[in-house]
Amino acid sequence: MSGGGPGADGGARSRSRGGCLRAYPALPVWVVEDHQDVLPFIYRAIGSKHLPASNISFVHLDSHPDLLIPVNMPADTVFDKEALFSELSIENWIMPAVYAGHISQVVWLHPPWAQQISEGKHSFLIGKDISTTTMRVTGTDHYFLSDGLYVPADQLENQKPLNLHVILINPTEASNSHEENGEVASAKRLKLNTDDTASTTSASSSVAPGDLDHSTPSVKKKEVQNSSALNRAETLSKCSASSSLGNSECPIREVVKDVCQVLQKGDAYVLDIDLDFFSVKNPFKEMYTQTEYELLQELYNFKKPHRNATEEGLLDCVENRVHQLEDLEAAFADLCDNDDEETLQKWASCPGMKSLVQLVHSLKTRTESPDYEMVHQAGLTCDYMELPHHVSTEEEIEGLIQSIKVLLKDMPKPTLVTVARSSLDDYCPSEQVDIIQEKVLNLLVE
């Protein structure tokens, strides 16, 4: 990463618009297990004035967008941060920070197997739905429609704009040269501290580097400290100008330009990395048989609106979807209490519920008391597209590491870095997560 601070080419703007921000003596890198647990560290940086209270850019490397909304949470909960943190989950922790006014730009950098939101720029509003007092968006991508989150702008109050940029990252072949143009890497050291997840206190104690290898939900903080001054305001070089870069890295250079253009619009940025960006599993595929998974897809299938749907058509689509999901939730809640044949047949007689009989019968042949709440959670991921499932080879992981290396080298330095392991819930394969984490942390000290 080039060393221009939070926006190498936008530092003056940061000072004029966001006031005088404090600078960390070393780049903080926070590592958590569950992704939503990074948000308290971002809020802490805002409170300590290392990040501005508004116009933050968020660069998000992940196999999942994480841009859903807690469906039934009152919008005003975002202004009580402790209440907010207790409501969040791995798929819905970013948008509340947008509604709170902190984040204005999100760049979702995704691997080839993650296609949940269409490529390109999406500009829309998030606000408080005047009829339900919950958060909703004007975004019309299937990602939002399938969760019933769309409302027209005139139905939202306290509106906040979001510019979402969805950009594909392809793996890159490893560079033949370890050092570019004979430059000598500056001496760096990795300082490790632990931090308690529950209290997120500022007090910390040292741990040995080997402790990074343990798969643990506890939060760890790393600080990457450069002994030499970082370069300032480094301009992006053209693909042809760099002799050590292979041709396959040229598209990454284009991504760098796109990302840097977005960062210029913000006053500071956070770099956020989910290790499942490099290799990802759909844990529900291992919990259910292929037949059961197909039955879930049938039950939870999202009927997409017409390509050029009117506002009325979009509202009809969302209303139908909300009713469908409410009925499915009620059915599985009922089955939690009593899954006898009478209850099952009652729900199976409802429109679109015929597959329920075969699904429940199949589940009960494998387990006496199926976890119907978990079945419903699995079903919610089977709407218009499956969750990504791609266990990467060593070569693919290394190819993505090389891509991110090129990306970070020419990007300005972020204010802080957050990293989610996502291994205990089996999104990042447990047998790969420690190797991936080590590679990512090494990237951050280069």
Side-chain angles (χ1 to χ4, degrees):
M1 282 173 282
S2 63
D9 42 4
R13 184 176 178 208
S14 173
R15 287 189 292 275
S16 63
R17 288 187 55 181
C20 189
L21 294 176
R22 296 172 63 193
Y24 288 111
L27 176 65
V29 180
W30 295 100
V31 177
V32 302
E33 180 55 47
D34 296 329
H35 211 155
Q36 75 272 19
D37 290 335
V38 305
L39 196 59
F41 296 103
I42 295 169
Y43 273 51
R44 182 188 296 176
I46 294 171
S48 63
K49 299 193 184 305
H50 289 92
L51 281 174
S54 62
N55 203 28
I56 297 169
S57 299
F58 195 72
V59 178
H60 178 61
L61 285 85
D62 201 322
S63 279
H64 311 89
D66 296 350
L67 292 170
L68 294 177
I69 291 170
V71 176
N72 298 314
M73 186 185 81
D76 290 348
T77 305
V78 304
F79 303 115
D80 179 346
K81 63 181 182 181
E82 296 308 323
L84 172 64
F85 297 156
S86 69
E87 292 277 350
L88 299 180
S89 188
I90 56 173
E91 77 283 358
N92 61 24
W93 56 277
I94 298 174
M95 293 297 271
V98 177
Y99 177 68
H102 302 312
I103 295 173
S104 299
Q105 290 84 223
V106 172
V107 181
W108 179 37
L109 301 178
H110 65 95
W113 48 82
Q115 304 286 338
Q116 297 94 312
I117 301 179
S118 55
E119 209 76 9
K121 181 180 178 181
H122 305 254
S123 296
F124 54 91
L125 303 171
I126 181 172
K128 182 200 286 190
D129 186 337
I130 56 177
S131 63
T132 64
T133 73
T134 57
M135 285 182 289
R136 291 294 183 265
V137 298
T138 59
T140 58
D141 196 274
H142 293 152
Y143 180 79
F144 301 112
L145 294 174
S146 65
D147 238 45
L149 299 177
Y150 165 82
V151 298
D154 60 11
Q155 202 172 316
L156 292 177
E157 59 184 12
N158 193 26
Q159 298 175 355
K160 299 290 167 49
L162 175 65
N163 290 314
L164 168 64
H165 303 260
V166 180
I167 302 175
L168 171 66
I169 301 290
N170 280 308
T172 298
E173 290 183 12
S175 173
N176 292 326
S177 172
H178 294 294
E179 295 297 336
E180 189 166 343
N181 301 327
E183 291 179 3
V184 179
S186 58
K188 306 173 182 77
R189 64 187 167 90
L190 191 62
K191 180 183 174 186
L192 307 175
N193 296 299
T194 58
D195 190 285
D196 183 80
T197 307
S199 63
T200 59
T201 59
S202 57
S204 58
S205 59
S206 297
V207 297
D211 287 351
L212 282 175
D213 297 333
H214 299 306
S215 178
T216 170
S218 64
V219 179
K220 301 169 188 145
K221 181 184 176 184
K222 270 73 58 187
E223 290 183 345
V224 182
Q225 186 146 12
N226 292 356
S227 62
S228 62
L230 292 164
N231 295 329
R232 300 285 170 182
E234 183 178 79
T235 56
L236 296 177
S237 57
K238 302 290 184 184
C239 289
S240 58
S242 177
S243 59
S244 71
L245 292 178
N247 291 335
S248 61
E249 291 180 344
C250 290
I252 300 301
R253 290 295 193 184
E254 296 305 311
V255 169
V256 172
K257 293 178 185 177
D258 292 342
V259 174
C260 286
Q261 284 180 353
V262 176
L263 296 184
Q264 286 176 348
K265 298 175 183 177
D267 293 332
Y269 88 95
V270 174
L271 175 63
D272 175 70
I273 304 171
D274 194 316
L275 300 186
D276 75 16
F277 170 87
F278 300 92
S279 184
V280 67
K281 292 166 81 172
N282 176 351
F284 297 114
K285 280 203 161 184
E286 296 186 352
M287 294 172 66
Y288 304 105
T289 66
Q290 180 65 29
T291 300
E292 289 165 355
Y293 197 77
E294 289 170 0
L295 290 168
L296 280 172
Q297 290 176 314
E298 214 173 288
L299 283 166
Y300 285 82
N301 179 55
F302 169 59
K303 187 176 180 182
K304 299 174 184 177
H306 296 297
R307 180 181 291 270
N308 299 312
T310 62
E311 181 180 299
E312 184 180 358
L314 292 171
L315 287 170
D316 285 344
C317 167
V318 167
E319 184 180 4
N320 292 335
R321 180 60 171 171
V322 168
H323 287 155
Q324 177 191 8
L325 295 180
E326 286 176 346
D327 287 347
L328 285 161
E329 182 177 18
F332 283 110
D334 220 0
L335 291 169
C336 283
D337 294 333
N338 185 354
D339 63 354
D340 63 13
E341 199 64 23
E342 183 182 349
T343 305
L344 182 56
Q345 293 297 339
K346 178 189 77 173
W347 283 106
S349 65
C350 297
M353 294 273 209
K354 185 179 178 182
S355 304
L356 196 60
V357 174
Q358 188 181 347
L359 174 63
V360 171
H361 286 171
S362 178
L363 291 169
K364 291 178 78 171
T365 61
R366 297 193 299 112
T367 178
E368 187 177 343
S369 301
D371 183 346
Y372 291 115
E373 187 177 343
M374 182 62 73
V375 175
H376 177 57
Q377 292 304 315
L380 291 173
T381 71
C382 299
D383 37 36
Y384 67 100
M385 181 178 289
E386 289 184 21
L387 286 177
H389 184 90
H390 182 92
V391 178
S392 299
T393 63
E394 289 182 23
E395 290 76 16
E396 286 172 322
I397 292 171
E398 187 57 36
L400 285 171
I401 288 287
Q402 290 299 321
S403 293
I404 302 308
K405 180 178 181 178
V406 175
L407 183 72
L408 296 184
K409 184 170 62 64
D410 284 331
M411 281 173 60
K413 180 183 174 184
T415 300
L416 72 157
V417 180
T418 53
V419 177
R421 286 170 57 86
S422 299
S423 62
L424 296 184
D425 52 12
D426 222 21
Y427 283 99
C428 186
S430 58
E431 67 276 13
Q432 294 179 322
V433 66
D434 291 327
I435 296 167
I436 295 171
Q437 178 174 308
E438 182 180 0
K439 289 177 179 289
V440 168
L441 294 179
N442 286 340
L443 270 187
L444 296 173
V445 301
E446 287 182 1

